[in-house]
Amino acid sequence: MRKTLWTKNFTLLIVATVCGSVGGIAGGFALSFLVFDETKSTLASALILAIQFIPGFVIPLVAAPWMDRLPRKPFLVAGDAINGVLYALAGIYLLKYPFHYTGYLCFSLLLASLGSFDSLAYNSIYPCLIPEGMESKGYTVSSMLYPVLQVLMMPLAAVLMEKLGVAWILIIQGGLSILAALIESGITLQEENRLNGEVYTFRIWWQDVYEAFTYLRHERGLRSIFNYMAFTNGVARGYGPLLVAFFRVTPGLTSAMYGLFSGAECIGRSLGGLVHYNLKIPEKKRFGFAFGVYQIYETMDICLLWLPYPLMLVNRGICGFLGVNSAAMRQAAVQKYIPDELRARVNAYESILVLAVSSVLTLVVGMLGEVLDYRMCMTVCAGATLVFCWCSIWKNRKDVRGVYESDSLV
């Protein structure tokens, strides 16, 4: 009998993910406009985003050790269910009462806490639902899913906001999150309770944190991958405002052209995902392929803003195509390499590291954009990322290769 990725469990998880993502994209779009329309302040909007970083640091550190000792499915189902109820209540509130900024700030903090908790559970349970030998295909699906849904949902979200209003979009989002929870409840998975009847105390929590720290201390390959991902993602976040400003002030460029520019990478990701889903990268070539993609990606960023507009589109399309192949292969290799009993804690470490480094580097890139020409700023930052890649990935290539080529991935 032919092996398939699309088992009952994997299919249920992907369908639930689609439901939750569709609602999340539409709701996030509507809320971002609601905050600005009500406050007329970009600072107020930025504060909503900034406050969401707090649970991104705290929740993984507190919850990950606990999650590694208990079945993860209940966390996943409960997270989506509570999230759905909260969004529905927020929509009902807006139907009857006016928007209140301070209240929404608290509401955002609560939602971000739930989102961080849910993300940790999802990333920990996802590898367990991929059939053996199908890891690379499974992570190709997850890498493609959100970008494709974002391209499809953004225009629809704008129409829904005009026709229905923010309140009803939030109610719909709540319904979709509850539906996702119901779908996830159908997943059948044997999970071990590692508490062994003990009460989860601070002492046990600290032992679990120390165990993960000791494991990572001896895993130079994993640390090198995590460090490079944190650095490159942090710099890439800083490019966002830089690119918007470049398209605003450069003669001949428009906001509509920026929209097409952003879409080019999504198209590249979609095509790259289709190719990666159907082709296998030989085990002994995975490290070389990944390192080559990192070199090309950073080089493309170095020259991006110096190119004429049509070549900028080609540049982003190539980056999207190669990036999704590298990301899917990396996620499959890393998650298969990490022991299941440590997965939530190690994923929490990566999440906290990426968030911390991204917070700093986003500000650094923004400050450089104030004193340098936008093109020169992006070139300098991409060049620094390229150097960091050599200092982390290439310098520790033996250990990094051990992660990428630890097992046979299809």
Side-chain angles (χ1 to χ4, degrees):
M1 187 170 131
R2 187 180 176 185
K3 203 168 191 179
T4 178
L5 169 67
W6 296 94
T7 60
K8 173 195 167 187
N9 281 345
F10 186 78
T11 302
L12 287 174
L13 184 65
I14 294 301
V15 172
T17 303
V18 170
C19 290
S21 298
V22 164
I25 292 168
F29 180 88
L31 285 171
S32 63
F33 277 89
L34 175 66
V35 173
F36 184 76
D37 289 343
E38 294 291 339
T39 63
K40 299 294 187 287
S41 168
T42 55
L43 178 60
S45 299
L47 186 57
I48 294 290
L49 296 176
I51 200 173
Q52 293 176 7
F53 285 133
I54 297 172
F57 285 106
V58 177
I59 298 299
L61 182 62
V62 173
W66 188 32
M67 202 173 286
D68 270 336
R69 284 183 173 265
L70 294 170
R72 293 150 187 167
K73 176 185 165 182
F75 290 110
L76 186 68
V77 175
D80 280 333
I82 296 170
N83 196 58
V85 170
L86 288 175
Y87 270 111
L89 290 174
I92 293 169
Y93 174 89
L94 288 176
L95 287 176
K96 297 184 176 183
Y97 304 101
F99 175 83
H100 190 274
Y101 179 75
T102 304
Y104 180 64
L105 204 61
C106 297
F107 181 67
S108 293
L109 188 60
L110 178 59
L111 286 179
S113 300
L114 276 172
S116 182
F117 196 81
D118 191 53
S119 177
L120 191 62
Y122 183 90
N123 290 332
S124 299
I125 201 172
Y126 191 86
C128 303
L129 302 182
I130 301 174
E132 183 71 27
M134 293 285 175
E135 290 83 3
S136 192
K137 287 181 182 291
Y139 279 99
T140 300
V141 173
S142 66
S143 297
M144 289 174 59
L145 203 58
Y146 193 82
V148 171
L149 289 174
Q150 196 167 30
V151 170
L152 295 175
M153 280 304 301
M154 281 299 192
L156 180 57
V159 173
L160 289 174
M161 192 171 71
E162 291 295 325
K163 299 292 184 183
L164 300 178
V166 176
W168 278 108
I169 289 180
L170 294 182
I171 292 171
I172 292 170
Q173 181 181 356
L176 286 171
S177 292
I178 292 171
L179 177 60
L182 290 173
I183 293 170
E184 288 161 351
S185 67
I187 293 172
T188 52
L189 181 66
Q190 292 292 328
E191 295 187 275
E192 183 182 352
N193 186 328
R194 300 188 181 98
L195 269 180
N196 299 320
E198 297 179 88
V199 176
Y200 197 74
T201 62
F202 177 78
R203 181 181 61 83
I204 296 175
W205 174 85
W206 176 248
Q207 288 175 349
D208 288 345
V209 170
Y210 185 76
E211 181 186 17
F213 172 77
T214 303
Y215 170 78
L216 282 166
R217 188 173 60 187
H218 295 97
E219 291 293 339
R220 187 160 50 184
L222 278 178
R223 294 201 316 270
S224 298
I225 293 171
F226 292 163
N227 290 342
Y228 173 67
M229 285 300 115
F231 195 97
T232 190
N233 283 327
V235 173
R237 281 193 182 188
Y239 291 157
L242 206 67
L243 289 169
V244 170
F246 181 77
F247 272 82
R248 274 293 190 193
V249 303
T250 304
L253 297 180
T254 66
S255 56
M257 292 170 75
Y258 176 72
L260 183 59
F261 168 85
S262 302
E265 187 163 356
C266 288
I267 293 170
R269 287 177 66 90
S270 300
L271 293 175
L274 290 174
V275 170
H276 191 78
Y277 187 84
N278 291 289
L279 292 180
K280 176 184 176 182
I281 298 174
E283 183 179 347
K284 295 301 180 183
K285 294 184 178 180
R286 288 177 199 144
F287 170 77
F289 175 80
F291 186 71
V293 169
Y294 300 154
Q295 302 303 293
I296 293 171
Y297 212 107
E298 306 305 346
T299 303
M300 287 288 193
D301 283 348
I302 286 173
C303 65
L304 176 64
L305 298 186
W306 304 94
L307 298 172
Y309 182 70
L311 290 182
M312 290 173 69
L313 297 180
V314 174
N315 180 302
R316 291 300 90 183
I318 292 172
C319 286
F321 184 91
L322 293 175
V324 73
N325 280 275
S326 173
M329 188 177 67
R330 184 191 74 252
Q331 288 174 319
V334 167
Q335 295 305 318
K336 190 172 180 66
Y337 185 83
I338 300 169
D340 181 61
E341 65 274 11
L342 287 166
R343 186 171 289 124
R345 281 168 284 173
V346 174
N347 284 337
Y349 167 82
E350 182 187 17
S351 173
I352 292 170
L353 178 67
V354 169
L355 189 58
V357 175
S358 294
S359 300
V360 174
L361 290 180
T362 299
L363 292 175
V364 170
V365 176
M367 287 188 290
L368 285 175
E370 293 291 317
V371 297
L372 294 177
D373 173 80
Y374 296 136
R375 292 178 298 182
M376 184 57 69
C377 180
M378 188 163 184
T379 297
V380 169
C381 292
T385 309
L386 184 60
V387 171
F388 190 85
C389 180
W390 280 85
C391 294
S392 55
I393 301 297
W394 182 254
K395 179 184 176 183
N396 300 314
R397 57 192 177 277
K398 181 179 178 182
D399 299 288
V400 175
R401 188 187 298 274
V403 176
Y404 273 104
E405 300 172 2
S406 64
D407 202 351
S408 177
L409 303 176
V410 178

